[in-house]
């Protein structure tokens, strides 16, 4: 077996988990230990369990991505018509309640990751190097899932072991306790000294799994979110000074595409396989890109664009004019990063993209996301060909985020020179002149532009206490784009981020099943 497929197998991207090993990995939950006694004994079993953990993590990517980006202010929730995308519309316009399916699925999905991690942590004796590394990776992903829970839901329970039947009804955990638990897991994962570092900045094989620097970056991120700026600066500097990662030197508009899979900028990615036989089981036809791609049934795509752009995409996330204006404020209308990130309708006309006669694009202001455009070369599914021939890894964290987290930590901690150095590295890649001074506002603006549509904006706005000011009017009016331009035809009476939205609601079903859980404030 070729090396790259061995690594992919470790990530749960082989059909062995659905076939030959199914009987061994179909382990009853909720404390039923009967079929677990003879498992987790060998290195091979440890790797099978770890593969199952990675698969659980990757399986939650779509809902994680769509929910968090829908909640932020970068995009409108589009689709074929008003109501076509109702669940994401509710998130985007802040009309959701405590039983919203995507919020509930995200909540339970994080606990599925935690459960898979706890199987390894609780049941495996780390008496070999392979098992020790599996233990470290399990602690990393358990911490990663708890990070999402505490930053989104605030009081979600800590689950630090496999629960027995009399422990099912956990009560709320305090954010302080959860943060302490996240720090502990990440610190222990790092201090086991078994997570590898990349051999060099261009080493792609090592980045297929979690590295020491990724665990350090995640710990630094946890410190930043808590306002522990000195600790954050110290550990994020270690990641930067390791020299193991760098900003991708290629075309910026290919940064999130197959061309840059596992690049020097990749910290953490969901791996995908170039395997047509497994397309339906493993890649879900890369639904993330299918949903984000332009609403192709309302467009004629000809000329240059027809050679590269995939069809059959749904247009469920369209950039707001406010995002375009934010780019223009920092870069001007000809900004390299701007034009590598999103394009106006007029720009697309020049490469062969035009609206069909009478077409009306809901949740649209005439701007199209470019950096996440659906390309034939990397989309698993192209409706014009129905082919499953390529793959694209899905980004979770890249090195630019580490630089921006470190810049924020140093701005807040007082080392403005270091913060300036880090933010100017971001600006240099964007072909912008260096700043001579740096403020927290500079960091906020650069982070919005650099990481738009990359699942960080909502949590940043809430922790900065900017969300109500930025998104308080979100959803008041909904635009539609046609040959006549932009019109706001839909007006809502209920809309907008309010104080209660700083924490998402504990899903109603959880409260109905567990009387020990209390709802977050004002829900």
């Amino acid at each position: 077996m070729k090396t790259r497929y061995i690594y992919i197998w470790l990530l749960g991207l082989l059909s062995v988990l659905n076939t030959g090993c199914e009987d061994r990995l179909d382990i009853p939950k909720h404390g039923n230990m009967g079929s677990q006694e003879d498992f987790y004994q060998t290195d091979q079993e440890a790797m099978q369990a770890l593969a199952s953990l990675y698969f659980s993590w990757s399986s939650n990517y779509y809902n994680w991505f769509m929910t968090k980006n829908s909640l932020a202010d970068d995009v409108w929730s589009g689709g074929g018509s008003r109501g076509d995308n109702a669940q994401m519309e509710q998130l985007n316009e802040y009309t959701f309640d405590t039983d919203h399916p995507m919020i509930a699925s995200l909540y339970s999905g994080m606990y599925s990751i935690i459960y898979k991690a706890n199987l390894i942590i609780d049941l495996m004796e780390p008496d070999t190097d392979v098992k020790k590394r599996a233990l470290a990776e399990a602690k990393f992903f358990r911490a990663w899932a708890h990070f999402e829970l505490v930053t989104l839901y605030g009081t979600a329970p800590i689950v630090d072991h496999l629960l027995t039947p009399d422990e099912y009804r956990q009560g709320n955990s305090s954010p302080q306790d959860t943060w302490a638990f996240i720090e502990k897991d990440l610190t222990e994962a790092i201090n086991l000294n078994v997570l590898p570092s990349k051999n060099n900045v261009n080493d792609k094989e090592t980045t297929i799994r979690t590295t020491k620097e990724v665990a350090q970056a995640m710990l630094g991120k946890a410190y930043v979110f808590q306002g522990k700026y000195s600790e954050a600066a110290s550990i994020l500097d270690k990641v930067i000074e390791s020299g193991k990662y760098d900003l991708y030197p290629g075309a910026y508009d290919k940064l999130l595409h197959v061309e840059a899979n596992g690049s020097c900028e990749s910290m953490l990615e969901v791996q995908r396989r170039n395997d047509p036989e497994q397309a339906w089981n493993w890649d879900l036809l890369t639904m993330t890109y299918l949903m984000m791609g332009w609403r192709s049934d309302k467009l004629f795509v000809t000329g240059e664009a027809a050679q590269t752009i995939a069809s059959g995409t749904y247009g469920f996330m369209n950039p707001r004019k406010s995002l375009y204006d934010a780019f223009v404020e920092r870069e001007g209308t000809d900004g390299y990063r701007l034009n590598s990130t999103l394009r106006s309708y007029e720009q697309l006309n020049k490469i062969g993209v035009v609206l069909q006669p009478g077409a009306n694009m809901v949740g649209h202001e005439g701007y199209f996301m470019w950096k996440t455009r659906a390309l034939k070369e990397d989309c698993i599914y192209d409706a014009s060909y129905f082919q499953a021939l390529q793959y694209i890894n899905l980004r979770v964290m890249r090195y630019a985020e580490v630089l921006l987290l470190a810049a924020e930590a140093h701005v807040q901690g007082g080392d403005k020179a270091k913060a300036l150095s880090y933010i100017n590295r971001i600006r240099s890649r964007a072909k912008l002149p260096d700043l001579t001074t740096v403020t927290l506002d500079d960091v906020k603006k650069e982070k919005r532009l650099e990481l738009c549509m990359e699942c960080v904006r909502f949590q940043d706005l809430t922790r900065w206490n900017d969300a109500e000011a930025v998104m308080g009017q979100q959803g008041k009016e909904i635009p539609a784009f046609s040959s006549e331009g932009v019109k706001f035809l839909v007006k809502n009476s209920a809309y907008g981020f309010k104080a209660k939205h700083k924490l998402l609601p504990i899903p109603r079903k959880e409260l109905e099943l567990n009387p020990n859980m209390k709802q977050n404030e004002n829900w």
Side-chain angles (χ1 to χ4, degrees):
M1 184 179 287
K2 295 180 179 179
T3 301
R4 69 188 181 98
Y5 285 109
I6 293 174
Y7 279 112
I8 291 170
W9 169 75
L10 298 179
L11 299 180
L13 299 180
L14 281 183
S15 59
V16 67
L17 292 183
N18 281 342
T19 55
C21 292
E22 189 177 68
D23 59 329
R24 305 206 73 184
L25 286 177
D26 186 17
I27 301 169
K29 296 186 181 183
H30 306 311
N32 185 345
M33 310 296 283
S35 63
Q36 296 172 338
E37 295 175 356
D38 62 346
F39 203 74
Y40 306 99
Q41 303 300 311
T42 67
D43 285 352
Q44 180 182 5
E45 290 168 345
M47 296 313 299
Q48 290 173 1
L50 187 62
S52 183
L53 169 58
Y54 269 90
F55 182 61
S56 181
W57 174 66
S58 67
S59 296
N60 282 285
Y61 182 90
Y62 171 80
N63 194 57
W64 174 82
F65 181 94
M66 290 295 174
T67 301
K68 295 209 298 180
N69 283 316
S70 295
L71 286 165
D73 64 330
D74 288 337
V75 296
W76 295 100
S77 183
S81 60
R82 181 68 179 171
D84 180 37
N85 187 12
Q87 291 183 11
M88 290 168 62
E89 287 175 0
Q90 291 165 6
L91 293 173
N92 197 237
E93 298 162 23
Y94 286 90
T95 59
F96 58 88
D97 204 343
T98 59
D99 58 353
H100 191 279
M102 293 175 70
I103 290 176
S105 179
L106 180 59
Y107 184 92
S108 62
M110 292 305 104
Y111 283 109
S112 72
I113 296 168
I114 291 167
Y115 172 73
K116 293 293 182 69
N118 281 336
L119 284 170
I120 295 171
I121 294 166
D122 286 8
L123 302 180
M124 187 190 69
E125 184 65 34
D127 52 10
T128 68
D129 289 343
V130 169
K131 292 180 184 178
K132 288 175 183 176
R133 181 174 175 183
L135 175 64
E137 290 178 84
K139 285 182 176 287
F140 170 83
F141 282 108
R142 186 168 70 175
W144 183 91
H146 277 100
F147 176 92
E148 295 297 325
L149 289 167
V150 73
T151 54
L152 293 172
Y153 301 89
T155 63
I158 298 168
V159 179
D160 62 356
H161 63 282
L162 293 171
L163 301 179
T164 57
D166 61 344
E167 295 178 305
Y168 293 166
R169 294 181 173 182
Q170 297 287 301
N172 302 70
S173 293
S174 72
Q176 294 80 6
D177 287 345
T178 305
W179 283 119
F181 179 67
I182 291 166
E183 290 181 23
K184 179 176 180 291
D185 257 0
L186 290 171
T187 300
E188 289 177 356
I190 295 164
N191 290 343
L192 282 168
N193 292 318
V194 290
L195 292 176
S197 294
K198 293 170 62 176
N199 294 314
N200 56 66
V201 74
N202 293 314
D203 174 9
K204 291 189 176 184
E205 286 195 347
T206 305
T207 59
I208 288 174
R209 291 167 62 186
T210 306
T211 67
K212 179 180 75 173
E213 287 75 25
V214 170
Q216 290 173 325
M218 196 66 209
L219 180 56
K221 185 173 182 175
Y223 285 142
V224 169
F225 270 66
Q226 296 175 81
K228 296 182 175 181
Y229 298 116
S230 176
E231 294 94 329
S234 177
I235 198 159
L236 292 169
D237 283 350
K238 289 181 181 179
V239 178
I240 295 166
E241 292 164 4
S242 73
K244 302 294 186 181
Y245 297 87
D246 202 355
L247 296 175
Y248 179 61
Y252 188 89
D253 69 350
K254 290 296 188 73
L255 180 57
L256 302 186
H257 295 276
V258 68
E259 179 179 301
N261 277 358
S263 74
C264 58
E265 189 162 347
S266 171
M267 302 291 294
L268 192 60
E269 294 181 352
V270 170
Q271 304 289 317
R272 289 308 192 207
R273 293 189 64 194
N274 185 354
D275 184 352
E277 294 181 1
Q278 292 300 317
W280 290 97
N281 289 336
W282 294 102
D283 294 295
L284 299 176
L285 303 178
T286 310
M287 286 299 294
T288 306
Y289 273 69
L290 278 175
M291 293 298 185
M292 283 193 298
W294 312 334
R295 188 73 195 189
S296 59
D297 65 351
K298 295 181 181 290
L299 299 168
F300 287 127
V301 182
T302 62
E304 176 188 338
Q307 304 303 311
T308 58
I309 303 298
S311 63
T313 50
Y314 299 156
F316 275 12
M317 288 190 170
N318 307 306
R320 292 171 180 260
K321 185 179 184 296
S322 61
L323 177 61
Y324 178 83
D325 291 343
F327 271 100
V328 171
E329 178 192 349
R330 301 291 281 186
E331 304 183 8
T333 56
D334 295 324
Y336 169 71
R337 184 172 54 181
L338 163 60
N339 288 298
S340 297
T341 303
L342 55 98
R343 300 277 177 95
S344 68
Y345 178 62
E346 291 73 22
Q347 287 175 304
L348 290 191
N349 287 170
K350 296 176 182 179
I351 61 169
V353 179
V354 295
L355 278 170
Q356 295 182 8
N360 184 65
M361 303 182 78
V362 69
H364 209 294
E365 290 186 277
Y367 297 94
F368 296 76
M369 195 59 69
W370 188 256
K371 77 174 182 180
T372 57
R373 67 199 183 282
L375 295 176
K376 289 181 178 180
E377 69 186 52
D378 56 25
C379 279
I380 285 294
Y381 176 58
D382 175 9
S384 63
Y385 295 125
F386 192 40
Q387 59 183 359
L389 299 176
Q390 299 295 330
Y391 67 99
I392 181 171
N393 292 345
L394 304 173
R395 285 28 170 194
V396 177
M397 175 184 274
R398 54 186 177 92
Y399 184 62
E401 183 180 355
V402 176
L403 289 171
L404 288 162
L405 286 166
E408 180 177 351
H410 282 296
V411 164
Q412 298 287 63
D415 192 340
K416 296 292 183 67
K418 223 164 200 178
L420 194 61
S421 171
Y422 293 155
I423 204 166
N424 280 336
R425 289 178 63 180
I426 299 290
R427 290 177 59 84
S428 178
R429 199 257 299 271
K431 300 185 179 182
L432 294 170
D434 285 355
L435 297 175
T436 56
T437 60
V438 61
T439 65
L440 179 60
D441 189 57
D442 290 319
V443 175
K444 290 180 179 182
K445 289 179 177 179
E446 286 296 326
K447 193 170 188 183
R448 182 186 188 187
L449 305 186
E450 179 65 30
L451 299 176
C452 66
M453 282 285 289
E454 295 189 48
C455 298
V456 299
R457 179 72 172 164
F458 174 74
Q459 285 145 304
D460 279 345
L461 287 173
T462 56
R463 73 183 175 88
W464 289 329
N465 292 315
D466 292 341
E468 196 162 1
V470 170
M471 300 190 294
Q473 299 296 304
Q474 188 157 303
K476 183 177 182 179
E477 296 181 309
I478 310 302
F481 180 66
S482 70
S483 60
E484 298 178 355
V486 179
K487 295 183 179 180
F488 289 81
L489 302 177
V490 175
K491 301 181 187 299
N492 291 321
S493 58
Y495 55 84
F497 185 101
K498 299 174 178 60
K500 70 176 184 178
H501 294 115
K502 287 192 70 172
L503 294 180
L504 299 180
I506 303 297
R508 182 181 300 172
K509 183 178 179 180
E510 299 293 328
L511 299 176
E512 290 173 347
L513 295 174
N514 181 1
N516 294 327
M517 283 294 295
K518 306 299 180 186
Q519 184 56 274
N520 286 328
E521 189 175 358
N522 295 323
W523 284 101

